[in-house]
Amino acid sequence: MKLVRYGQVGEERPGLIDADGTLRDLSDQVSDIDGSTLAPATLQRLAALDPSDLPRVPGTPRFGPCVGKVGKLVCIGLNYSDHAAESGLEVPSEPIVFLKATSAITGPNDEVELPLGAEKVDWEVELAFVIGTRAKNVSKEDALSHVAGYMILNDVSERAWQAERQGQWTKGKSHDSFAPMGPWLVTADEIADPHDLNMQLDVDGVRRQTGSTRTLIFGIDHLVSYLSGFMTLEPGDVVTTGTPPGVGLGLRPQVFLKEGQVMRLEIDGLGVQQQKCVRRAAS
């Protein structure tokens, strides 16, 4: 299934995309696409529905983040061997983990705000997954059974804030709008192999990132097992798995986002998202 949340900011309703690409409303079935909906029994119930019996949503409403009420947004750094190479850094011996504020989460096609004083805002196309059942100290062999589905996430980053100022990466990753998510959550049963997905990102029509999850250093099963030893992963928690090469920081000369530029992201089977970069006056 392709599960979505559609409507104005803060008023999103649950829906699904049927085989013909039509948006269908799920409001009579579930209250939201969130941790309470992602349990295996609920997903099985939704999968058994005949989409043609669900109300068709007219027009082209805004898509919100495809998962609501995210408890934790956990990020993995330097998780592609070719991205580590372009960064001039050694392949890590274990996952690099940081958190991104959930207030950064926005819809897949919402505008990305360039923060006041920011000069090095960068793009990162990433495969993300959402937890469907509670995971604590799980084995690698059992790890994928805790994953409800997959999505695209743009891990937008302000590189100077991330690396040139004291403290953690989190402050360079967490500005409002720095985590566009979606367009939809694709349930795990529809992704034959999450470790064999092509991914790409364009800026103003120029290809910047071309990669594949085949070059992941730590796979999704490893990440679920590893993270669950440090923190309990709850239903609705999102983990984003790192980015392939081609980020602005790694280009020579370096290139960063400017007002008016448009990013377009795509991953096999997970759809397309697109954001325009804007600046807003201080409030």
Side-chain angles (χ1 to χ4, degrees), residues 5-282:
R5 300 172 71 248
Y6 70 94
Q8 297 302 309
V9 176
E11 300 177 0
E12 292 92 349
R13 298 165 64 92
L16 65 77
I17 306 297
D18 69 16
D20 296 325
T22 300
L23 174 59
R24 303 280 181 171
D25 183 71
L26 281 174
S27 298
D28 289 339
Q29 305 295 327
V30 293
S31 61
D32 200 353
I33 306 300
D34 59 15
S36 64
T37 303
L38 298 173
T42 304
L43 292 181
Q44 290 170 10
R45 178 173 64 81
L46 295 179
L49 299 172
D50 182 347
S52 64
D53 292 336
L54 299 171
R56 180 173 181 163
V57 179
T60 55
R62 166 189 174 269
F63 280 177
C66 57
V67 179
K69 304 182 185 73
V70 175
K72 293 189 286 294
L73 177 50
V74 185
C75 306
I76 307 299
L78 287 177
N79 197 29
Y80 282 75
S81 56
D82 37 8
H83 176 48
E86 78 166 348
S87 302
L89 298 171
E90 293 184 5
V91 171
S93 59
E94 58 182 289
I96 296 172
V97 180
F98 61 96
L99 297 178
K100 197 173 178 95
T102 56
S103 56
I105 295 172
T106 56
N109 303 310
D110 291 345
E111 294 175 335
V112 165
E113 182 179 346
L114 304 179
L116 293 173
E119 297 180 353
K120 296 183 178 181
V121 180
D122 205 348
W123 54 83
E124 295 190 40
V125 59
E126 303 200 4
L127 170 68
F129 62 88
V130 61
I131 296 297
T133 58
R134 187 175 185 269
K136 183 174 183 179
N137 295 319
V138 302
S139 68
K140 187 175 178 180
E141 292 72 25
D142 187 47
L144 290 182
S145 68
H146 294 270
V147 174
Y150 301 92
M151 72 199 84
I152 303 172
L153 189 140
N154 189 355
D155 179 20
V156 183
S157 308
E158 210 299 338
R159 298 301 190 185
W161 296 1
Q162 175 187 353
E164 298 174 20
R165 298 175 66 173
Q166 293 182 350
Q168 301 292 322
W169 284 9
T170 298
K171 66 187 177 189
K173 299 281 190 171
S174 294
H175 192 268
D176 297 350
S177 78
F178 271 23
M181 183 186 295
W184 36 70
L185 172 68
V186 180
T187 50
D189 59 295
E190 293 202 3
I191 302 298
D193 184 0
H195 302 109
D196 188 15
L197 301 176
N198 295 316
M199 51 206 309
Q200 60 193 45
L201 181 146
D202 297 346
V203 179
D204 286 349
V206 176
R207 179 60 45 81
R208 292 301 189 184
Q209 289 187 274
T210 301
S212 170
T213 57
R214 290 188 296 274
T215 66
L216 277 168
I217 298 167
F218 303 106
I220 292 154
D221 50 352
H222 184 112
L223 293 176
V224 173
S225 177
Y226 180 85
L227 292 169
S228 74
F230 294 98
M231 63 188 81
T232 300
L233 299 175
E234 299 286 359
D237 286 350
V238 172
V239 180
T240 189
T241 61
T243 196
V247 298
L249 183 69
L251 298 176
R252 296 295 180 267
Q254 293 178 341
V255 177
F256 298 109
L257 291 164
K258 295 180 173 58
E259 184 177 7
Q261 290 190 306
V262 175
M263 295 174 281
R264 182 185 185 277
L265 296 74
E266 183 173 4
I267 298 180
D268 286 351
L270 300 181
V272 174
Q273 58 171 242
Q274 181 169 292
Q275 304 98 31
K276 182 178 180 180
C277 297
V278 301
R279 287 195 186 273
R280 295 190 175 96

